[in-house]
């Protein structure tokens, strides 16, 4: 039976908020994360520097994830992960196109074909050929360990991103101050949205695996209340929220209600995805989590 939620989206519950048991697709998740890093590094190389690294994420679109338009010389390039037809598409403003299959293949094989197609299209893009924010920094060109692709799992994950993007966009629109786009960071493989108090923050300590500290210094130059959706941390992934710098009392603030809880290992509030998709109104449950955790950050840090 069709359902209509508070945001007006219609569809079968499992289409809108699909089940995503992590143990069934973790190898695919880890492989595709590396593929998104390769594509994301291309956007980083071609795009201008934007505060807090807003110039490097991918964006959820009607077929999957996209770089959006990148300009190189007098031509524009968009690269899109299509999780409906399971292709990586290269779309160029002069009308030329190329594609490669999203299927079980090693990262090394993906990287070789990807860089070859970019060259064939006339784009000379130099990227750092190793992963970031991961403990394993095997160069892309040498990685034959990651080689999984479950098309159904990736389609389901993309559909979850579409639903989350809708709620995050509503949340972003409720704030009149500076806020980030709703964007997909390929470093950690998560969809995120961030609000800013308008005040500077102390220098971030860094320490992220295979990521220079100066990257974190730029990312967290200002005081933030941030939230996101990550396919990890629980049996089907989690929604998370944190504040930087961490204000006293934030992790015990009474505004944040169960089933959300403070995860001491992550240092963040979390709300398990599987509880959201099983809730009577998943959209409302996520929006409440976002609003409650932001209230906790704003009140304990005395935001202006």
């Amino acid at each position: 039976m069709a359902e209509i939620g508070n945001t007006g989206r219609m569809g079968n519950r499992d289409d809108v908020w699909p089940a995503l048991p992590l143990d069934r697709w973790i190898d695919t998740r880890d492989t595709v994360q590396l593929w998104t890093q390769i594509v994301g590094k291309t956007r980083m190389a071609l795009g201008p520097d934007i505060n807090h690294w807003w110039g490097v994420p991918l964006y959820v679109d009607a077929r999957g994830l996209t770089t959006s338009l990148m300009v190189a010389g007098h031509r524009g390039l968009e690269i899109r992960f299509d999780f409906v037809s399971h292709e990586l598409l290269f779309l160029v403003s002069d009308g030329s196109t190329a594609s490669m299959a999203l299927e079980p293949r090693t990262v090394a094989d993906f990287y070789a074909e990807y860089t070859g197609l970019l060259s064939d299209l006339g784009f000379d893009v130099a990227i750092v050929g190793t992963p970031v924010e991961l403990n394993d920094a095997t160069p892309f060109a040498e990685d034959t360990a990651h080689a999984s692709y479950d098309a159904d799992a990736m389609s389901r994950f993309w559909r979850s991103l579409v639903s989350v993007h809708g709620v995050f966009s509503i949340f972003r629109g409720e704030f009149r101050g500076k806020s980030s786009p709703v964007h997909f960071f390929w470093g950690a493989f998560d969809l995120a949205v961030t609000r800013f108090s308008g005040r500077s923050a102390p220098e971030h300590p860094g320490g992220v695996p295979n990521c220079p500290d100066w990257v974190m210094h730029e990312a967290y130059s200002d005081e933030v209340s941030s939230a996101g959706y990550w396919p990890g941390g629980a049996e089907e992934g989690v929604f998370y929220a944190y504040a930087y710098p961490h204000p006293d009392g934030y992790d015990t603030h009474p505004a944040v209600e169960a089933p959300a809880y403070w995860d001491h290992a992550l240092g963040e509030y979390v709300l398990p995805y599987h509880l959201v998709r099983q809730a009577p109104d998943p959209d409302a449950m996520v929006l409440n989590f976002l609003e409650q955790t932001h209230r906790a950050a704003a009140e304990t840090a005395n935001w202006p």
Side-chain angles (χ1 to χ4, degrees), residues 69-140:
L69 183 66
M70 304 174 287
V71 176
H74 297 290
R75 293 193 301 160
L77 169 66
E78 178 184 357
I79 303 175
R80 176 186 296 167
F81 285 91
D82 188 323
F83 296 129
V84 178
S85 62
H86 301 286
E87 298 176 286
L88 186 73
L89 304 174
F90 299 75
L91 308 172
V92 187
S93 59
D94 63 11
S96 55
T97 63
S99 65
M100 52 190 284
L102 299 179
E103 60 188 5
R105 60 195 304 173
T106 67
V107 171
D109 178 60
F110 180 97
Y111 185 68
E113 183 175 0
Y114 176 84
T115 53
L117 285 175
L118 272 182
S119 179
D120 291 345
L121 289 168
F123 294 96
D124 182 16
V125 185
I127 68 171
V128 177
T130 53
V132 296
E133 298 187 46
L134 298 171
N135 290 319
D136 180 1
T138 301
F140 301 127

Side-chain angles (χ1 to χ4, degrees), residues 237-258:
V238 296
F239 294 89
Y240 66 81
Y242 63 88
Y244 183 80
H246 181 95
D248 290 341
Y250 172 67
D251 52 334
T252 58
H253 197 284
V256 184
E257 301 173 346

